Amino acid sequence: MNTTLIARRPASIRPSPSIAAKALVTRLRAEGRHIIDLTVGEPDFVTPRSIMEAAQAAMQAGDTYYTPSNGTLALRQAVADKLIRENGLSYGTDEIVVGCGAKQLIQTAFAATLDPGDEVIIPAPYWVSYPDLATLNDGVPVVVPCLEETGFKLSPSQLEATITARTKWVVLNSPNNPSGAVYTAAELAALGEVIERHPRVLVMTDEIYEHFVYDGQSQISFGRAVPALRDRTLVINGVSKAYAMTGWRIGYAAGPRLLAKTMSDLLSQSTTCPSSIGQAAAVRALSGDQTFVVQARATYETRRDRAVELLDAIPGISCKRPAGAFYAYPNVVGLIGRRSPDGIRIADDLALAHHLLSAGNVSVMDGTSYGLSPYLRVSFATSLEAIEAGCAAIARVAATLD
């Protein structure tokens, strides 16, 4: 096909690196290779039975028709109840939008607000899709490196220095994918003080990993820490991570009424509405017994401790203990520049990830894809056996580098 037939915007977008990595693992396994997959960004648990039963009941009751574009009233009310109960945030059902996953809602929020040249401030390391979703909507991603020495967190001085007359959004992700960084209430309040001085700037707070915070700590929503910015804050969340529902594709957003309406109007012209059956399942997830979430958090914490212990023991690698999410983000600077037994130089973390796959049959994500090098993202949303086998493979390959 003639490449000139493809419009400028999609031609500038790269495929999601994490989705591409998962597809590569699937292909290699189909070819007969035994690959240890530590790239996965989804729970390895099965959706709780009570949630599946709610979906089955909805189907049997004939709940298989279009819903409002912003989601069923029942689900929007369940989200509103959840936000007040767990996050201390009060939103009406007309300030909530349900979409086909959190990613769609981020894309739709950008489509609703970005004019050509508007800037989106994105602290790095970042979830791989933020920059591309901004670019897709004619925005300009402005990446701010947040170093390991400062806990991978954006500082108020960095934020102040980065805001310009074209800034439209500041994107905050806590707990963070990939670093696991979790902002405290005081840190969020300090960032909020900066943003308050710039009335045109909106805040997108991605809280999809909120339930996975460890060591007895808990996540604080930006809106609770900075209530003065309620009318400029959009909360992004969903049921994918907390309830092992990645394939159900149900996310939700809560924010200013005008923004919520505009997003709903845009969704009405794209997907029309999320799955009615998935929405019924999400109502049960948010409103039902939360034992599953508590147990999942405890399991992830055990896995985290083991993954960090093993990674940090590998010569050339150092690994800080992530405060949240389900990824370790080990520093691999000690392996960069070394050579493999066949003389190939490991130029960067991307080359290291490729070498680990080819020489060790272990798949991890490179830090380059997340905007900060030299690191690897190692998922512990998998079994202890896979974590131990994968870390052992990394150690074996690292030991061969000269």
Side-chain angles (χ1 to χ4, degrees), residues 186-208:
E187 289 167 339
L188 293 174
L191 294 174
E193 288 180 8
V194 175
I195 296 168
E196 279 192 80
R197 296 194 288 270
H198 301 272
R200 187 177 181 272
V201 177
L202 304 171
V203 181
M204 179 179 291
T205 173
D206 183 346
E207 304 181 1
I208 195 75

Side-chain angles (χ1 to χ4, degrees), residues 49-138:
R49 179 173 295 277
S50 63
I51 296 173
M52 291 192 283
E53 289 173 348
Q56 185 179 31
M59 288 187 284
Q60 291 174 337
D63 187 8
T64 56
Y65 299 96
Y66 293 132
T67 78
S69 294
N70 59 348
T72 64
L73 179 59
L75 180 50
R76 285 182 284 123
Q77 185 62 60
V79 171
D81 293 344
K82 179 267 180 209
L83 289 172
I84 191 69
R85 180 180 69 247
E86 296 184 353
N87 306 104
L89 303 176
S90 179
Y91 285 94
T93 55
D94 59 346
E95 297 175 299
I96 294 168
V97 184
V98 179
C100 302
K103 182 185 289 187
Q104 185 189 38
L105 294 168
I106 295 170
Q107 138 73 15
T108 305
F110 285 162
T113 56
L114 290 176
D115 289 315
D118 281 349
E119 295 173 350
V120 179
I121 294 176
I122 303 171
Y126 50 70
W127 177 51
V128 294
S129 292
Y130 295 140
D132 288 307
L133 291 176
T135 300
L136 182 62
N137 291 285
D138 285 332

Side-chain angles (χ1 to χ4, degrees), residues 134-152:
T135 300
L136 182 62
N137 291 285
D138 285 332
V140 178
V142 180
V143 174
V144 184
C146 300
L147 303 182
E148 183 176 347
E149 292 75 17
T150 57
F152 300 112

